[in-house]
Structures are given as C-alpha cells and as structure tokens.
Amino acid sequence: MNFTEIENLEEQFQVATYAKMNIAVERGRGAWIWTSDGEKYLDLYGGHAVCATGHSHPHVVEALKDQAEKVLFYSNLVYSEIRAKAAEKLVAVAPDSLTKAFFCNSGTEANENAMRMARFATGREKVVTFTGGFHGRTADSISATFLGKYREIGKPNVPGHVAAEFGNIESVCAVADRETAAIMLEPIQSMAGVTEAAPDFFRALREICDEHGIILIFDEVQTGIGRTGNWFFGGSALAGGVEPDIISLAKSLGSGVPVGACLVNEKVSANIKTNDLGTTFGGGMLAMAAVVATLEAIENDRMRENIAEIESDLRARLKEIEEVVAVHGKGGLIGIEFAESCKPFHAKLLENKIITGTSSNPKVLRLLPPLCVTREEINLLIDAFRN
Ligand SMILES: Cc1ncc(COP(=O)(O)O)c(C=O)c1O
C-alpha cells in the first residue's frame, strides 16, 4: 500500500489519537526508519522515546524470535525462567535499595501501581506531584498530572492529588505532611520542556519523605534504562545520590514491546500481599524476553557510555547554532531551546527527513534518540540546523 492508501484506511478505522506525521513506517534499524514510500528518515525521537536500543536491534529481535518459538505467554499464575531472569537483571542494575520488581504493561499503569503501593505502605491517601509533570492518562495518573490540560481530559479526577512547584522545596513543605502517602515526580520533566532540578532539591525531597514517613516515587518512564547515561536517575549524581522508594518504568524497557515495571525497596514490598496487585499481561514471557535482551543490548554495546559522549559532542556543536539559546537535559533526553517557537525548526527538520519532538514549551525542541545514535548521525542534525 502507498502512503495515501494507508492514511485513508487508518483514518477510517481508527479513532483520533495523536497529530501524526505524514509518513507510514514500514521498517527500522538503529536510528533509521524507512517509510511505505521507500524514504529513509533519521529518528532522533526514538519511536516516541521508546526505542533506546535502536529500531529492531538484532539481539532483541533474536531473543523475541526464540521466545516466540517456545511460548508467547502465560500469566503470573505460573513461574517462568525468563520472568525470573528479567526481574533479577533489572534489580541488578537498579539502585542498591530497590530489591524487587513488579511488571505491568505501560507507564501509566506503572505509576498507578506505584501510588497504590505507597498507599498500602503508609495507610494514607494524599499524593503530591508537580506542576509540569506528566504521569499518564489513566484515572489516577492523569489526576497526578498537572501539566497543561491533561487533568481536564481526565475529569472527574481522583481525589487526594495536590501539586507543588518543581524545584521549589518550600512549595513541597507547604503541602507534604503526615497525611501524604507519596511524593511522585519526573526527575527531569520531559514533556514540560526538559526541565531540570538541582541535586539539592532531590536531597531535600528525601529528607521531607523520611521525616514524614512519605514514599518517594521517581517516575523514570523517560529517564530510566540508560537514558541519561546512568541506568536510572535515582541513585545517580544527578539526584545527589538519592534513592527513591519506588522507580516506575516503561518506554525503553522493552525496546518497543509493551512493558512497564515498578522497582521497589523492602519498605514497600513488605506491605504487598498476594492479590493486592495484579495484571493479566504483566510479566508475560515475550515482554520478559524483551526486557532481558534490552538490558543486555545496552550493556553489550556500551550504549550508556555512548550516549554520554554523544551529549557532550552535541552540546559543543549546538554552540555553533546562533538560534539556540540553551540546551537542557542529560544524555539522550535533550531539550534545545530557541529564542522563538521551535515549530518551524521541527517542521523544516522533518522536511529534511529528520524526526525530532516538540514539548509543552513552544520554544523547546526535544531529542530522545536511540542510545546507540552515532556522532555521524548527530552531525546530520547540525548540518540541517546550519542549512
Ligand atoms: C514521564 C512519563 N510518565 C508516564 C507516561 C505514560 O506512559 P504510557 O504512555 O506508557 O502509559 C509517560 C508517557 O509519555 C511519560 O513520559
């Protein structure tokens, strides 16, 4: 089918979701995708922040083929070697205090379960999140999302959600108390425009949580699995060494196979009993094979080291572009800020067959490339900016 045929069919039979680019993706490899019309695009948006290992990484594809030959799925009603290995491997790369994994299917579901576990652990209901944060579109997660119009879409909202100002510890002190179950945040607010906070902010959050018995949740749906050059933001120097009680994950975790997870410490896991949590598909064998292969691919190909080098290179090269007024973010989560709207740059790059992302900040263009992106591929972006 050509592009127009695909577009017409999809518009006819699928309800509206996102504003789409005018391309139909047929195949991908590394940082590149090929369209139904045989054109090639450089994907610096990583398939919507998902394809950290690059499109169809051979090791991941092989692992999925092998697993599909054995068994596609059985739920948590049975034990499974691949699930055991996925949990072991994820815990092995997690901050030391996070010792158990809960598997689910998406980022919003990971956050719903993270908040539920915090309520179990504390016996409280209130959740503090932050202006500019995005946590997903199901009822509790969208109620925790104080970015733009999302809470409106999610009406009626779940009660017990209050917002503080990201990076402002006084505003947290004003709302966090002994009735608070959790403080949850994106440690780098991606959709807001790649907004960062200082390590001292995370240290202060940890202190407030410890003082009041509050569970600290890092929503690492975007920052996790090597994105910043660290396996996780939590526990890294970026967080001032602070380890949260729960890390929620999705996006990069399965290289494109839908999978989410919560990593939790003993304080949290001790309060979870059989049947408190559940999901049919969470921990299914195909998804677990994707998790193991994703972690292996990042490790084997030294992708975390690569993305750290790419970031410093990119920052140096962006200094040559006079329209760029600031560069935000870390590793492979980069916000390029322009003096005016970034929309013309985004559109022009797409015309030049380079995919980037926008954000809620009209001036900030987002890059979320595969962690295996090369210097030569990044040079294509710089050349396009120059032109
Ligand atoms: C930080 C963050 N949390 C949660 C979500 C929700 O994830 P999902 O779309 O997999 O439900 C997203 C999605 O963009 C996200 O960026």
Side-chain angles (χ1 to χ4, degrees), residues 195-253:
T195 311
E196 295 167 276
D200 276 351
F201 175 66
F202 299 102
R203 288 197 199 99
L205 281 182
R206 184 69 271 177
E207 274 176 28
I208 292 172
C209 287
D210 291 344
E211 188 189 331
H212 294 299
I214 298 168
I215 298 296
L216 182 59
I217 304 171
F218 280 9
D219 173 347
E220 297 220 39
V221 166
Q222 293 218 16
T223 56
I225 315 297
R227 177 60 59 191
T228 65
N230 305 283
W231 277 114
F232 301 98
F233 190 101
S236 76
L238 300 171
V242 163
E243 299 190 4
D245 301 293
I246 304 178
I247 286 178
S248 56
L249 298 167
K251 290 213 189 269
S252 304
L253 182 57

Short mmCIF file of all heavy atoms in Angstrom, two decimals, residues 195-253:
data_model
loop_
_atom_site.label_atom_id
_atom_site.label_comp_id
_atom_site.label_asym_id
_atom_site.label_seq_id
_atom_site.Cartn_x
_atom_site.Cartn_y
_atom_site.Cartn_z
N THR A 195 12.75 20.10 31.77
CA THR A 195 13.03 20.96 32.91
C THR A 195 13.79 20.16 33.97
O THR A 195 13.40 19.04 34.30
CB THR A 195 11.71 21.48 33.53
OG1 THR A 195 10.90 21.98 32.47
CG2 THR A 195 11.96 22.57 34.54
N GLU A 196 14.87 20.76 34.48
CA GLU A 196 15.71 20.05 35.44
C GLU A 196 15.64 20.69 36.83
O GLU A 196 15.25 21.84 36.96
CB GLU A 196 17.16 20.07 34.96
CG GLU A 196 17.36 19.30 33.68
CD GLU A 196 18.71 19.60 33.06
OE1 GLU A 196 18.83 20.61 32.34
OE2 GLU A 196 19.64 18.83 33.32
N ALA A 197 16.05 19.91 37.83
CA ALA A 197 16.19 20.44 39.19
C ALA A 197 17.58 20.07 39.70
O ALA A 197 18.19 19.10 39.23
CB ALA A 197 15.12 19.86 40.10
N ALA A 198 18.05 20.84 40.68
CA ALA A 198 19.40 20.61 41.22
C ALA A 198 19.42 19.40 42.14
O ALA A 198 18.40 19.08 42.76
CB ALA A 198 19.85 21.85 41.97
N PRO A 199 20.59 18.74 42.29
CA PRO A 199 20.69 17.60 43.22
C PRO A 199 20.19 17.93 44.62
O PRO A 199 19.58 17.08 45.28
CB PRO A 199 22.19 17.28 43.22
CG PRO A 199 22.67 17.75 41.89
CD PRO A 199 21.84 18.94 41.54
N ASP A 200 20.40 19.16 45.07
CA ASP A 200 19.94 19.55 46.42
C ASP A 200 18.43 19.43 46.57
O ASP A 200 17.94 19.15 47.66
CB ASP A 200 20.34 21.00 46.71
CG ASP A 200 21.76 21.08 47.22
OD1 ASP A 200 22.33 20.00 47.51
OD2 ASP A 200 22.29 22.20 47.33
N PHE A 201 17.72 19.65 45.48
CA PHE A 201 16.26 19.52 45.52
C PHE A 201 15.87 18.07 45.84
O PHE A 201 15.00 17.82 46.69
CB PHE A 201 15.66 19.95 44.17
CG PHE A 201 14.17 19.76 44.07
CD1 PHE A 201 13.29 20.49 44.86
CD2 PHE A 201 13.63 18.84 43.17
CE1 PHE A 201 11.92 20.31 44.77
CE2 PHE A 201 12.26 18.66 43.06
CZ PHE A 201 11.40 19.40 43.86
N PHE A 202 16.57 17.12 45.21
CA PHE A 202 16.24 15.72 45.45
C PHE A 202 16.64 15.30 46.86
O PHE A 202 15.93 14.53 47.51
CB PHE A 202 16.92 14.83 44.38
CG PHE A 202 16.45 15.17 42.99
CD1 PHE A 202 17.24 15.95 42.14
CD2 PHE A 202 15.21 14.77 42.55
CE1 PHE A 202 16.79 16.30 40.88
CE2 PHE A 202 14.75 15.12 41.29
CZ PHE A 202 15.54 15.89 40.45
N ARG A 203 17.77 15.84 47.33
CA ARG A 203 18.18 15.53 48.72
C ARG A 203 17.15 16.06 49.70
O ARG A 203 16.79 15.38 50.66
CB ARG A 203 19.55 16.17 49.02
CG ARG A 203 20.69 15.47 48.31
CD ARG A 203 22.03 15.83 48.94
NE ARG A 203 23.09 15.54 48.01
CZ ARG A 203 23.68 16.44 47.21
NH1 ARG A 203 23.33 17.71 47.27
NH2 ARG A 203 24.62 16.07 46.37
N ALA A 204 16.65 17.26 49.44
CA ALA A 204 15.65 17.85 50.35
C ALA A 204 14.35 17.05 50.30
O ALA A 204 13.70 16.84 51.33
CB ALA A 204 15.41 19.31 49.97
N LEU A 205 13.98 16.58 49.11
CA LEU A 205 12.77 15.75 49.00
C LEU A 205 12.91 14.48 49.84
O LEU A 205 11.99 14.06 50.53
CB LEU A 205 12.53 15.34 47.54
CG LEU A 205 11.91 16.35 46.59
CD1 LEU A 205 11.74 15.72 45.22
CD2 LEU A 205 10.57 16.86 47.13
N ARG A 206 14.09 13.87 49.75
CA ARG A 206 14.34 12.63 50.51
C ARG A 206 14.19 12.91 52.01
O ARG A 206 13.58 12.13 52.74
CB ARG A 206 15.73 12.12 50.18
CG ARG A 206 16.19 10.80 50.77
CD ARG A 206 15.47 9.57 50.24
NE ARG A 206 14.29 9.24 50.99
CZ ARG A 206 13.48 8.24 50.68
NH1 ARG A 206 13.70 7.46 49.66
NH2 ARG A 206 12.41 8.01 51.40
N GLU A 207 14.72 14.06 52.44
CA GLU A 207 14.63 14.42 53.88
C GLU A 207 13.18 14.60 54.31
O GLU A 207 12.78 14.11 55.36
CB GLU A 207 15.40 15.71 54.15
CG GLU A 207 16.86 15.46 54.40
CD GLU A 207 17.63 16.76 54.57
OE1 GLU A 207 17.04 17.77 55.01
OE2 GLU A 207 18.83 16.76 54.24
N ILE A 208 12.41 15.31 53.47
CA ILE A 208 10.99 15.53 53.81
C ILE A 208 10.27 14.19 53.91
O ILE A 208 9.48 13.94 54.82
CB ILE A 208 10.31 16.44 52.75
CG1 ILE A 208 10.87 17.84 52.84
CG2 ILE A 208 8.80 16.45 52.92
CD1 ILE A 208 10.40 18.75 51.71
N CYS A 209 10.54 13.31 52.95
CA CYS A 209 9.87 12.00 52.93
C CYS A 209 10.26 11.20 54.17
O CYS A 209 9.40 10.58 54.82
CB CYS A 209 10.23 11.23 51.66
SG CYS A 209 9.42 11.90 50.21
N ASP A 210 11.52 11.21 54.53
CA ASP A 210 11.97 10.46 55.71
C ASP A 210 11.36 11.03 56.99
O ASP A 210 10.94 10.28 57.87
CB ASP A 210 13.50 10.45 55.79
CG ASP A 210 14.12 9.63 54.66
OD1 ASP A 210 13.37 8.85 54.04
OD2 ASP A 210 15.32 9.79 54.39
N GLU A 211 11.28 12.36 57.03
CA GLU A 211 10.74 13.00 58.25
C GLU A 211 9.26 12.66 58.45
O GLU A 211 8.84 12.39 59.57
CB GLU A 211 10.92 14.52 58.10
CG GLU A 211 10.59 15.30 59.35
CD GLU A 211 10.58 16.80 59.06
OE1 GLU A 211 11.33 17.25 58.14
OE2 GLU A 211 9.81 17.51 59.74
N HIS A 212 8.50 12.64 57.36
CA HIS A 212 7.05 12.44 57.49
C HIS A 212 6.60 11.02 57.15
O HIS A 212 5.39 10.75 57.10
CB HIS A 212 6.29 13.42 56.57
CG HIS A 212 6.46 14.85 56.96
ND1 HIS A 212 6.07 15.35 58.18
CD2 HIS A 212 6.97 15.91 56.28
CE1 HIS A 212 6.33 16.64 58.24
NE2 HIS A 212 6.89 17.01 57.09
N GLY A 213 7.52 10.12 56.85
CA GLY A 213 7.12 8.75 56.50
C GLY A 213 6.42 8.67 55.15
O GLY A 213 5.49 7.88 54.96
N ILE A 214 6.86 9.50 54.20
CA ILE A 214 6.25 9.55 52.86
C ILE A 214 7.08 8.70 51.89
O ILE A 214 8.31 8.66 51.99
CB ILE A 214 6.21 11.03 52.36
CG1 ILE A 214 5.34 11.87 53.30
CG2 ILE A 214 5.71 11.12 50.92
CD1 ILE A 214 5.46 13.39 53.06
N ILE A 215 6.41 8.04 50.96
CA ILE A 215 7.10 7.24 49.94
C ILE A 215 7.51 8.14 48.77
O ILE A 215 6.67 8.88 48.24
CB ILE A 215 6.18 6.10 49.43
CG1 ILE A 215 5.80 5.14 50.57
CG2 ILE A 215 6.80 5.35 48.25
CD1 ILE A 215 6.97 4.37 51.17
N LEU A 216 8.79 8.08 48.40
CA LEU A 216 9.29 8.91 47.29
C LEU A 216 9.31 8.07 46.01
O LEU A 216 9.93 7.00 45.97
CB LEU A 216 10.71 9.41 47.63
CG LEU A 216 11.38 10.33 46.60
CD1 LEU A 216 10.56 11.60 46.35
CD2 LEU A 216 12.80 10.70 47.05
N ILE A 217 8.57 8.55 45.01
CA ILE A 217 8.47 7.82 43.73
C ILE A 217 9.13 8.64 42.63
O ILE A 217 8.76 9.80 42.41
CB ILE A 217 6.99 7.58 43.34
CG1 ILE A 217 6.24 6.84 44.45
CG2 ILE A 217 6.90 6.81 42.01
CD1 ILE A 217 4.71 6.76 44.21
N PHE A 218 10.08 8.05 41.94
CA PHE A 218 10.62 8.68 40.73
C PHE A 218 9.93 8.03 39.54
O PHE A 218 10.04 6.81 39.34
CB PHE A 218 12.13 8.46 40.60
CG PHE A 218 12.98 9.39 41.43
CD1 PHE A 218 12.43 10.24 42.38
CD2 PHE A 218 14.37 9.41 41.27
CE1 PHE A 218 13.23 11.10 43.15
CE2 PHE A 218 15.17 10.25 42.02
CZ PHE A 218 14.59 11.09 42.97
N ASP A 219 9.21 8.82 38.77
CA ASP A 219 8.64 8.35 37.51
C ASP A 219 9.77 8.41 36.47
O ASP A 219 10.08 9.47 35.94
CB ASP A 219 7.46 9.25 37.11
CG ASP A 219 6.91 8.93 35.72
OD1 ASP A 219 7.58 8.18 34.97
OD2 ASP A 219 5.83 9.44 35.40
N GLU A 220 10.40 7.25 36.24
CA GLU A 220 11.53 7.19 35.30
C GLU A 220 11.11 6.52 33.99
O GLU A 220 11.91 5.85 33.34
CB GLU A 220 12.71 6.47 35.94
CG GLU A 220 13.25 7.20 37.17
CD GLU A 220 14.77 7.19 37.25
OE1 GLU A 220 15.43 7.32 36.20
OE2 GLU A 220 15.27 7.04 38.37
N VAL A 221 9.86 6.74 33.63
CA VAL A 221 9.36 6.21 32.35
C VAL A 221 10.22 6.75 31.20
O VAL A 221 10.49 6.05 30.23
CB VAL A 221 7.86 6.56 32.19
CG1 VAL A 221 7.38 6.34 30.76
CG2 VAL A 221 7.03 5.74 33.17
N GLN A 222 10.69 7.99 31.32
CA GLN A 222 11.57 8.53 30.28
C GLN A 222 13.04 8.50 30.68
O GLN A 222 13.90 8.22 29.86
CB GLN A 222 11.15 9.98 29.94
CG GLN A 222 9.80 10.04 29.28
CD GLN A 222 9.70 11.07 28.17
OE1 GLN A 222 10.67 11.58 27.65
NE2 GLN A 222 8.47 11.38 27.79
N THR A 223 13.33 8.78 31.95
CA THR A 223 14.75 8.92 32.34
C THR A 223 15.43 7.58 32.62
O THR A 223 16.65 7.52 32.70
CB THR A 223 14.88 9.81 33.59
OG1 THR A 223 14.07 9.25 34.64
CG2 THR A 223 14.47 11.24 33.32
N GLY A 224 14.62 6.50 32.77
CA GLY A 224 15.19 5.21 33.13
C GLY A 224 15.82 4.45 31.99
O GLY A 224 15.78 4.87 30.83
N ILE A 225 16.44 3.33 32.32
CA ILE A 225 17.03 2.38 31.34
C ILE A 225 18.09 3.06 30.46
O ILE A 225 18.07 2.98 29.23
CB ILE A 225 15.91 1.69 30.49
CG1 ILE A 225 14.76 1.22 31.37
CG2 ILE A 225 16.44 0.51 29.69
CD1 ILE A 225 15.13 0.15 32.38
N GLY A 226 18.98 3.78 31.14
CA GLY A 226 20.17 4.29 30.45
C GLY A 226 20.00 5.63 29.77
O GLY A 226 20.97 6.18 29.24
N ARG A 227 18.81 6.18 29.79
CA ARG A 227 18.53 7.38 29.00
C ARG A 227 19.48 8.54 29.33
O ARG A 227 19.90 9.28 28.44
CB ARG A 227 17.05 7.79 29.23
CG ARG A 227 16.55 9.05 28.58
CD ARG A 227 16.65 9.09 27.08
NE ARG A 227 15.93 8.05 26.38
CZ ARG A 227 16.07 7.81 25.06
NH1 ARG A 227 16.89 8.56 24.33
NH2 ARG A 227 15.41 6.83 24.48
N THR A 228 19.79 8.72 30.63
CA THR A 228 20.65 9.86 31.00
C THR A 228 22.14 9.48 31.00
O THR A 228 22.98 10.29 31.40
CB THR A 228 20.30 10.40 32.41
OG1 THR A 228 20.61 9.36 33.36
CG2 THR A 228 18.82 10.78 32.52
N GLY A 229 22.43 8.25 30.60
CA GLY A 229 23.81 7.76 30.70
C GLY A 229 23.99 6.92 31.96
O GLY A 229 24.93 6.14 32.08
N ASN A 230 23.07 7.10 32.91
CA ASN A 230 23.02 6.25 34.11
C ASN A 230 21.91 5.22 33.87
O ASN A 230 20.96 5.50 33.13
CB ASN A 230 22.62 7.07 35.33
CG ASN A 230 23.55 8.26 35.54
OD1 ASN A 230 24.66 8.11 36.01
ND2 ASN A 230 23.08 9.44 35.14
N TRP A 231 21.99 4.07 34.52
CA TRP A 231 20.87 3.14 34.35
C TRP A 231 19.57 3.82 34.77
O TRP A 231 18.54 3.71 34.12
CB TRP A 231 21.08 1.86 35.16
CG TRP A 231 21.93 0.84 34.47
CD1 TRP A 231 23.16 0.39 34.85
CD2 TRP A 231 21.60 0.12 33.26
NE1 TRP A 231 23.62 -0.55 33.96
CE2 TRP A 231 22.68 -0.75 32.98
CE3 TRP A 231 20.50 0.12 32.39
CZ2 TRP A 231 22.69 -1.60 31.87
CZ3 TRP A 231 20.51 -0.72 31.29
CH2 TRP A 231 21.59 -1.56 31.04
N PHE A 232 19.65 4.54 35.91
CA PHE A 232 18.47 5.26 36.42
C PHE A 232 18.91 6.62 36.93
O PHE A 232 20.07 6.79 37.34
CB PHE A 232 17.81 4.47 37.56
CG PHE A 232 17.38 3.10 37.13
CD1 PHE A 232 18.18 2.00 37.38
CD2 PHE A 232 16.21 2.92 36.41
CE1 PHE A 232 17.82 0.73 36.94
CE2 PHE A 232 15.84 1.66 35.96
CZ PHE A 232 16.64 0.57 36.22
N PHE A 233 18.00 7.59 36.91
CA PHE A 233 18.27 8.89 37.52
C PHE A 233 18.43 8.69 39.02
O PHE A 233 19.36 9.21 39.64
CB PHE A 233 17.09 9.84 37.22
CG PHE A 233 17.34 11.26 37.58
CD1 PHE A 233 17.69 12.18 36.60
CD2 PHE A 233 17.23 11.69 38.89
CE1 PHE A 233 17.93 13.51 36.93
CE2 PHE A 233 17.46 13.01 39.23
CZ PHE A 233 17.81 13.93 38.25
N GLY A 234 17.53 7.91 39.62
CA GLY A 234 17.58 7.61 41.05
C GLY A 234 18.90 6.95 41.41
O GLY A 234 19.32 6.01 40.76
N GLY A 235 19.54 7.45 42.45
CA GLY A 235 20.81 6.89 42.90
C GLY A 235 22.01 7.49 42.18
O GLY A 235 23.15 7.28 42.60
N SER A 236 21.79 8.24 41.11
CA SER A 236 22.91 8.81 40.34
C SER A 236 23.32 10.16 40.93
O SER A 236 22.63 10.73 41.78
CB SER A 236 22.51 8.99 38.87
OG SER A 236 21.67 10.12 38.74
N ALA A 237 24.44 10.68 40.43
CA ALA A 237 24.92 12.00 40.88
C ALA A 237 23.88 13.08 40.54
O ALA A 237 23.76 14.09 41.25
CB ALA A 237 26.25 12.32 40.23
N LEU A 238 23.11 12.86 39.45
CA LEU A 238 22.10 13.85 39.06
C LEU A 238 21.07 14.04 40.17
O LEU A 238 20.52 15.12 40.35
CB LEU A 238 21.35 13.37 37.80
CG LEU A 238 22.18 13.15 36.54
CD1 LEU A 238 21.35 12.47 35.46
CD2 LEU A 238 22.72 14.48 36.03
N ALA A 239 20.81 12.96 40.92
CA ALA A 239 19.85 13.01 42.02
C ALA A 239 20.54 13.27 43.35
O ALA A 239 19.93 13.11 44.41
CB ALA A 239 19.09 11.68 42.09
N GLY A 240 21.83 13.64 43.29
CA GLY A 240 22.59 13.84 44.53
C GLY A 240 22.73 12.53 45.29
O GLY A 240 22.83 12.52 46.51
N GLY A 241 22.70 11.40 44.55
CA GLY A 241 22.82 10.08 45.18
C GLY A 241 21.54 9.59 45.83
O GLY A 241 21.50 8.49 46.40
N VAL A 242 20.47 10.37 45.76
CA VAL A 242 19.22 10.00 46.42
C VAL A 242 18.58 8.78 45.75
O VAL A 242 18.42 8.75 44.53
CB VAL A 242 18.23 11.19 46.40
CG1 VAL A 242 16.80 10.74 46.68
CG2 VAL A 242 18.67 12.24 47.39
N GLU A 243 18.22 7.79 46.57
CA GLU A 243 17.49 6.63 46.05
C GLU A 243 16.02 6.76 46.46
O GLU A 243 15.72 6.89 47.64
CB GLU A 243 18.10 5.33 46.60
CG GLU A 243 19.55 5.17 46.18
CD GLU A 243 20.15 3.81 46.49
OE1 GLU A 243 19.42 2.93 46.99
OE2 GLU A 243 21.36 3.64 46.21
N PRO A 244 15.11 6.74 45.49
CA PRO A 244 13.69 6.80 45.84
C PRO A 244 13.23 5.45 46.40
O PRO A 244 13.99 4.48 46.35
CB PRO A 244 13.02 7.10 44.50
CG PRO A 244 13.94 6.49 43.50
CD PRO A 244 15.33 6.60 44.06
N ASP A 245 12.01 5.40 46.91
CA ASP A 245 11.47 4.13 47.41
C ASP A 245 10.91 3.29 46.26
O ASP A 245 10.83 2.07 46.36
CB ASP A 245 10.35 4.40 48.43
CG ASP A 245 10.88 5.21 49.60
OD1 ASP A 245 11.70 4.68 50.36
OD2 ASP A 245 10.49 6.40 49.73
N ILE A 246 10.48 3.98 45.20
CA ILE A 246 9.92 3.29 44.03
C ILE A 246 10.41 4.01 42.76
O ILE A 246 10.43 5.25 42.72
CB ILE A 246 8.37 3.32 44.02
CG1 ILE A 246 7.79 2.73 45.31
CG2 ILE A 246 7.81 2.58 42.80
CD1 ILE A 246 6.26 2.77 45.40
N ILE A 247 10.79 3.24 41.76
CA ILE A 247 11.04 3.79 40.42
C ILE A 247 10.02 3.15 39.48
O ILE A 247 9.88 1.92 39.46
CB ILE A 247 12.46 3.48 39.93
CG1 ILE A 247 13.50 4.35 40.67
CG2 ILE A 247 12.60 3.71 38.42
CD1 ILE A 247 14.95 4.07 40.28
N SER A 248 9.29 3.98 38.72
CA SER A 248 8.38 3.41 37.72
C SER A 248 9.04 3.51 36.34
O SER A 248 9.76 4.48 36.06
CB SER A 248 7.03 4.14 37.74
OG SER A 248 7.20 5.52 37.55
N LEU A 249 8.77 2.51 35.52
CA LEU A 249 9.44 2.37 34.23
C LEU A 249 8.47 1.95 33.14
O LEU A 249 7.45 1.30 33.43
CB LEU A 249 10.52 1.28 34.31
CG LEU A 249 11.68 1.50 35.28
CD1 LEU A 249 12.45 0.20 35.47
CD2 LEU A 249 12.59 2.61 34.78
N ALA A 250 8.81 2.26 31.90
CA ALA A 250 8.09 1.72 30.72
C ALA A 250 8.96 2.08 29.51
O ALA A 250 10.16 1.84 29.54
CB ALA A 250 6.68 2.26 30.61
N LYS A 251 8.36 2.66 28.50
CA LYS A 251 9.04 3.14 27.28
C LYS A 251 10.23 2.26 26.86
O LYS A 251 10.04 1.24 26.22
CB LYS A 251 9.44 4.60 27.45
CG LYS A 251 8.20 5.52 27.46
CD LYS A 251 8.49 6.85 26.86
CE LYS A 251 7.35 7.85 27.04
NZ LYS A 251 6.41 7.85 25.94
N SER A 252 11.48 2.63 27.25
CA SER A 252 12.67 1.94 26.74
C SER A 252 12.81 0.50 27.24
O SER A 252 13.61 -0.26 26.70
CB SER A 252 13.93 2.69 27.18
OG SER A 252 13.91 4.01 26.77
N LEU A 253 12.07 0.15 28.27
CA LEU A 253 12.30 -1.11 28.97
C LEU A 253 12.22 -2.35 28.08
O LEU A 253 12.91 -3.34 28.31
CB LEU A 253 11.28 -1.21 30.13
CG LEU A 253 11.33 -2.41 31.06
CD1 LEU A 253 12.69 -2.54 31.73
CD2 LEU A 253 10.24 -2.28 32.13
#
